[in-house]
Amino acid sequence: EAGVTQFPSHSVIEKGQTVTLRCDPISGHDNLYWYRRVMGKEIKFLLHFVKESKQDESGMPNNRFLAERTGGTYSTLKVQPAELEDSGVYFCASSPRGFNEKLFFGSGTQLSVL
Amino acid sequence: AQKVTQAQTEISVVEKEDVTLDCVYETRDTTYYLFWYKQPPSGELVFLIRRNSFDEQNEISGRYSWNFQKSTSSFNFTITASQVVDSAVYFCALSYNRGGSNYKLTFGKGTLLTVNP
């Protein structure tokens, strides 16, 4: 069974540009989460989808970040325009519907904004 | 507010040594969940264990063991007879139950464990 897949694994962009990160959860997982780790800090929650609906987006830093989940399958996280402080590792995780024991994480996208 | 503290930023041991990774948490919730995740060099976070706040039994899984003590708000992780393959960043995390959003995890900063041959 394929795990959570994130693309790209690395992205280097200049300040002011737009970047779109993609996450393919494990097939059949209704729950999808985005987390971010900024250098030297904790991994922090960004948002949670249940199928295509945003359940909780309280962790989104500002309106330069837009997350979508098309048809309850894959998800994208767009940063527009990117700022220097957006640099970090963006993790995606998924879990099946209902009460779950664990999240399945992807390997993350390393975003560097220069 | 929730908080997880992993005071050890980096630990280096020699293979076969035992090592304990510390985790201290803060929460006002009576029902909560504690986790440990491992991040090997490949980057993904690998689930190791989940404990709920009502289950203070210690757990052992092979060379891994976990010591949960509510009295000291700690959830420490011990690797016995460490191996080079245990080298990774280990994260302790905490979550709570809020209307179905069980898995809004609060992470510690992680502990980088290096096991030298």
Side-chain angles (χ1 to χ4, degrees):
Chain A
E1 179 182 305
V4 176
T5 305
Q6 292 188 244
F7 182 82
S9 56
H10 294 84
S11 180
V12 180
I13 61 173
E14 293 189 353
K15 176 183 172 181
Q17 290 186 322
T18 297
V19 63
T20 300
L21 313 181
R22 173 168 170 146
C23 170
D24 286 80
I26 293 173
S27 178
H29 281 193
D30 286 349
N31 293 296
L32 187 149
Y33 305 81
W34 285 97
Y35 284 81
R36 175 176 77 168
R37 187 183 193 196
V38 172
M39 178 75 78
K41 304 250 175 129
E42 299 87 348
I43 300 171
K44 292 206 168 176
F45 169 84
L46 295 179
L47 88 160
H48 171 208
F49 284 99
V50 177
K51 296 187 179 178
E52 67 275 9
S53 300
K54 291 176 186 173
Q55 180 82 5
D56 181 349
E57 53 183 330
S58 60
M60 294 288 263
N62 51 60
N63 59 11
R64 294 185 293 102
F65 288 75
L66 175 64
E68 295 179 324
R69 190 177 182 193
T70 306
T73 56
Y74 70 91
S75 174
T76 57
L77 180 64
K78 180 191 286 188
V79 185
Q80 179 182 29
E83 298 290 342
L84 299 178
E85 63 266 22
D86 300 332
S87 297
V89 180
Y90 290 77
F91 290 100
C92 176
S94 71
S95 67
R97 183 193 317 178
F99 189 72
N100 304 295
E101 286 222 344
K102 60 186 178 183
L103 300 185
F104 295 83
F105 280 84
S107 299
T109 293
Q110 172 75 59
L111 175 63
S112 298
V113 183
L114 307 179
Chain B
Q2 299 197 321
K3 185 178 179 181
V4 174
T5 301
Q6 294 180 255
Q8 304 148 310
T9 306
E10 294 186 38
I11 300 176
S12 182
V13 300
V14 177
E15 208 170 18
K16 297 185 183 176
E17 284 186 20
D18 298 347
V19 57
T20 295
L21 309 182
D22 298 332
C23 174
V24 173
Y25 62 92
E26 296 175 31
T27 181
R28 293 179 185 164
D29 294 280
T30 54
T31 302
Y32 53 90
Y33 305 86
L34 293 162
F35 300 78
W36 275 96
Y37 279 86
K38 173 182 179 179
Q39 185 185 32
S42 52
E44 76 279 15
L45 294 169
V46 178
F47 168 86
L48 295 178
I49 190 171
R50 170 188 176 271
R51 260 283 177 269
N52 73 55
S53 51
F54 297 109
D55 182 2
E56 286 193 72
Q57 262 194 327
N58 292 329
E59 179 153 341
I60 298 175
S61 176
R63 296 183 298 104
Y64 295 172
S65 61
W66 291 270
N67 182 359
F68 177 26
Q69 293 197 344
K70 284 179 80 169
S71 60
T72 55
S73 296
S74 64
F75 187 44
N76 297 337
F77 172 32
T78 297
I79 302 175
T80 303
S82 60
Q83 300 177 1
V84 173
V85 294
D86 295 327
S87 297
V89 181
Y90 291 85
F91 292 95
C92 181
L94 170 68
S95 76
Y96 57 90
N97 188 336
R98 282 287 187 275
S101 190
N102 282 334
Y103 299 97
K104 188 172 175 176
L105 295 169
T106 298
F107 283 88
K109 288 187 177 181
T111 298
L112 172 62
L113 173 65
T114 302
V115 181
N116 299 297

